[in-house]
Amino acid sequence: MLRGNISKKVGREVAHPGVANDFNDEDAKKYYTYYQWVCFVLFFQAAACYLPKFLWDAIEGGLMRTLVMGLNVGICREDEKCAKKQAMIGYVLKRLRRHKLYVLRYFACEALCLVNIVIQLWMMNRFFDGEFFSYGWRVMKFSDTPQEQRFDPMVYVFPRVTKCIFHKFGASGSIQKHDSLCILPLNIVNEKTYIFIWFWFIILAVMLVGLVIYRLMIIFMPSVRVQLLKTINRSVPREAAQGIAQKTDLGDWWVIYMLGGNLDPPIFKDVVAELAKQIEPPKRNGKL
């Protein structure tokens, strides 16, 4: 494809967008080789997106599932429910202030999601010869451009028809050049796939930046933790939520907070109230 002929009128100046006589000008040519590797790149992108979840599942080791013990649904005998609640409370009290690594690994996996998206955006831009970063913007502007000035940016990045030169042996054994049009039907799918990926990755990047800021607020603003416990279960008394936030460090608070998203609400309310009573505040300089 020729760079300067992408916007010329089809049927008058060129046979197809970007397809014209190059007059042996090598700098005017744009070579497309990446389209044949798209399927493999998509596979590795999918694997890279799954990597943070794979790492967390391996690190977490089923701790939350073990702690919940089926109490996400509170339909069980009262004696069984009380026994499981006491076992859960006993675990938290016994392992108090030993969950810092747990929460740091969780936050690290979330940060890895953001790093993963940013690296993939950069690599896709390199893969598509610097055309990917602006790909979505150009597609959005395409519909607002006047008809006489319009050319499809998807055709430029993923050409459906391109210029091909075949070298064949002639009747006397000399090599002859044959100028042809090559149809690339796979690019009809590729262009739609990557316009979706562009929008999806930009949305994910923005959301993950917001998530990282949100996690930093949890780490450096302990007052936020009280409100989060109330948000995840409105039936939790504010005094109990404040007691948990003041008496626990970030790791223990995070385990309790995660239990709130997995336990039946009335059970979680009882667990938080009991923990707020039994957890001793941390000692500072030998004093309470």
Side-chain angles (χ1 to χ4, degrees), residues 52-53 56 103-117 204 207-209 211-216 218 254 258:
K53 182 183 185 305
W56 174 245
V103 66
L104 291 177
R105 286 172 174 173
Y106 187 90
F107 289 173
C109 287
E110 289 185 332
L112 180 60
C113 292
L114 176 60
V115 173
N116 182 22
I117 293 298
L204 282 179
M207 293 177 65
L208 286 168
V209 169
L211 179 63
V212 170
I213 295 173
Y214 173 58
R215 296 304 188 212
L216 290 174
I218 291 176
W254 182 255
M258 293 292 286

Side-chain angles (χ1 to χ4, degrees), residues 10-25:
V10 177
R12 294 185 180 180
E13 300 173 291
V14 293
H16 194 271
V19 180
N21 194 333
D22 55 22
F23 298 104
N24 295 320
D25 184 3

Side-chain angles (χ1 to χ4, degrees), residues 29-47:
K29 296 179 182 178
K30 179 175 175 59
Y31 293 94
Y32 291 88
T33 56
Y34 49 75
Y35 70 90
Q36 57 188 327
W37 303 103
V38 165
C39 58
F40 301 101
V41 172
L42 286 173
F43 171 78
F44 287 114
Q45 283 187 256

Side-chain angles (χ1 to χ4, degrees), residues 68 70-75 81 85 88 229-237 240 256-274:
V68 171
L71 292 180
N72 55 322
V73 180
I75 304 176
K81 187 187 302 183
K85 283 195 296 185
M88 187 186 308
L229 282 178
K230 287 287 297 175
T231 301
I232 201 170
N233 190 332
R234 296 185 180 278
S235 61
V236 173
I256 296 169
Y257 176 75
M258 293 292 286
L259 284 173
N262 291 276
L263 290 175
D264 189 52
I267 295 176
F268 179 68
K269 174 187 173 184
D270 296 341
V271 169
V272 169
E274 192 65 28

Side-chain angles (χ1 to χ4, degrees), residues 56-198:
W56 174 245
D57 288 342
I59 293 170
E60 201 267 347
L63 173 63
M64 198 54 55
R65 187 185 305 110
T66 303
L67 285 176
V68 171
M69 295 180 289
L71 292 180
N72 55 322
V73 180
I75 304 176
C76 61
R77 298 193 309 272
E78 192 63 29
D79 57 341
E80 180 184 358
K81 187 187 302 183
C82 291
K84 290 181 177 180
K85 283 195 296 185
Q86 290 304 315
M88 187 186 308
I89 293 170
Y91 169 84
V92 175
L93 293 175
K94 185 178 180 180
R95 301 282 298 178
L96 207 59
R97 299 177 183 89
R98 299 182 186 176
H99 296 104
K100 289 182 180 178
L101 194 58
Y102 182 87
V103 66
L104 291 177
R105 286 172 174 173
Y106 187 90
F107 289 173
C109 287
E110 289 185 332
L112 180 60
C113 292
L114 176 60
V115 173
N116 182 22
I117 293 298
V118 172
I119 291 177
Q120 285 201 48
L121 285 169
W122 177 79
M123 292 184 66
M124 282 189 289
N125 193 60
R126 291 291 301 271
F127 180 62
F128 294 119
D129 296 332
E131 301 290 344
F132 187 75
F133 280 156
S134 60
Y135 183 47
W137 296 117
R138 284 182 289 162
V139 171
M140 286 192 295
K141 290 168 60 178
F142 172 64
S143 58
D144 297 331
T145 305
Q147 187 67 38
E148 60 275 7
Q149 302 175 7
R150 180 182 298 185
F151 69 92
D152 192 347
M154 290 190 290
V155 173
Y156 182 71
V157 181
F158 296 101
R160 301 158 198 171
V161 178
T162 188
K163 182 183 181 73
C164 298
I165 298 176
F166 295 95
H167 297 83
K168 295 182 179 180
F169 286 101
S172 63
S174 300
I175 296 179
Q176 298 177 342
K177 293 170 62 176
H178 293 269
D179 188 22
S180 303
L181 290 177
C182 293
I183 300 175
L184 307 175
L186 185 60
N187 277 348
I188 298 175
V189 178
N190 291 340
E191 66 183 16
K192 308 299 190 302
T193 301
Y194 274 98
I195 192 62
F196 171 79
I197 289 176
W198 189 90

